[in-house]
Amino acid sequence: MKNYLIIFSLFFSLNLSAQYCLFFDLKADEPEMVMSAMNELMNTEWGKNLEATKSLFAYGPNGTNEATHSIQFCFPSEAAFENAFMSYGQSRDAQMLWEKKLQAFSSDISQTLNTPIWFNGEDWAEDNVFMIYQMDISNSGVYLNAFKDFFEAVSEKLNYADRSYGLAVPIVGKTAAYTHFAWFGHPDIKTALADTKKTMSDPLFSEFSKKVSDIRTVVNTLMLIRVADF
């Protein structure tokens, strides 16, 4: 986690007013030990005082992504993010659990700091399964307008008013593979699959896909399943 402190210098050059979600994607050799390490980490004074949602997700079908799990901290503000990292450097217990125990049973795949550029206002902390679409987008403004129009229309038509969905960008730590990702939240796996099938078979989706075909390439599709909140 020491390496992640380099996020600071890049982060404060961005004047954004939004939530910030830090994703640690990892390949777990012993998932039960990752859960054990996370329980201990979140029970330290550092973990208890984090001003963030703290969650562990498992990947279902996840395309070419080698990760099996994702640890995610979502902060409500820049100050909350700063406090988390400043206090981590002062917590020997947190450092030992992250760098010794957690990393003994897992290997890092990727780390990204992400922020939504638009979402529907619903709380994604209430959803248990997420369909994630990683994309390479060449014109962010055009795509965002098309994305908003599509999801607002399909949400009303197919009654997705209580679901979370939105478009986000990795602002630090992103790979060259994708520039944006969209998420669509669901209460459970069966609903996620049924809603995805229903959405993709709707004429609105065909119209949207044609509209953005020249500026969007879908890089990967993922399913994230909530394992635990801390």
Side-chain angles (χ1 to χ4, degrees):
M1 197 166 181
K2 293 176 182 175
N3 294 335
Y4 307 147
L5 292 174
I6 60 174
I7 290 174
F8 269 10
S9 61
L10 296 174
F11 175 79
F12 285 109
S13 68
L14 297 165
N15 184 19
L16 298 175
S17 178
Q19 289 191 349
Y20 300 92
C21 288
L22 192 56
F23 294 179
F24 296 99
D25 279 8
L26 53 90
K27 184 177 182 180
D29 300 317
E30 298 184 44
E32 68 279 4
M33 294 305 296
V34 171
M35 174 65 85
S36 174
M38 282 298 297
N39 275 320
E40 290 187 55
L41 179 64
M42 293 299 100
N43 279 318
T44 63
E45 286 304 308
W46 177 79
K48 291 177 181 178
N49 291 315
L50 275 182
E51 189 184 354
T53 60
K54 300 159 281 190
S55 304
L56 175 66
F57 291 87
Y59 279 107
N62 64 341
T64 59
N65 189 346
E66 294 182 4
T68 61
H69 292 75
S70 182
I71 297 169
Q72 301 186 4
F73 302 124
C74 288
F75 302 93
S77 66
E78 292 86 352
F81 178 86
E82 179 181 24
N83 290 338
F85 278 87
M86 294 298 288
S87 60
Y88 176 81
Q90 299 169 359
S91 174
R92 183 64 176 165
D93 290 341
Q95 292 176 46
M96 288 293 292
L97 285 166
W98 186 283
E99 296 169 19
K100 299 296 183 181
K101 184 171 182 177
L102 181 62
Q103 294 189 343
F105 300 103
S106 63
S107 52
D108 293 334
I109 299 299
S110 68
Q111 310 88 32
T112 55
L113 178 65
N114 308 278
T115 190
I117 57 176
W118 179 82
F119 59 99
N120 71 331
E122 296 300 320
D123 185 0
W124 52 77
E126 298 300 316
D127 290 319
N128 295 313
V129 179
F130 295 87
M131 300 298 292
I132 307 290
Y133 305 90
Q134 296 173 342
M135 301 167 289
D136 182 22
I137 295 172
S138 60
N139 190 321
S140 181
V142 171
Y143 185 83
L144 175 58
N145 288 333
F147 181 87
K148 289 168 58 178
D149 290 345
F150 164 67
F151 258 104
E152 287 172 347
V154 81
S155 175
E156 182 176 356
K157 182 177 181 180
L158 301 181
N159 195 27
Y160 295 153
D162 61 341
R163 309 292 167 76
S164 67
Y165 48 83
L167 185 66
V169 293
I171 55 177
V172 178
K174 76 185 183 77
T175 67
Y178 64 95
T179 61
H180 297 67
F181 68 88
W183 80 87
F184 192 6
H186 309 271
D188 48 50
I189 294 174
K190 63 179 181 293
T191 305
L193 294 175
D195 285 355
T196 300
K197 183 177 180 181
K198 185 166 55 175
T199 301
M200 289 186 171
S201 63
D202 193 276
L204 288 172
F205 180 76
S206 296
E207 295 173 12
F208 166 67
S209 297
K210 289 178 182 178
K211 187 178 296 185
V212 299
S213 61
D214 292 338
I215 60 172
R216 181 198 66 178
T217 299
V218 178
V219 174
N220 212 359
T221 57
L222 315 169
M223 178 186 282
L224 270 180
I225 303 161
R226 191 184 301 275
V227 174
D229 295 317
F230 304 93

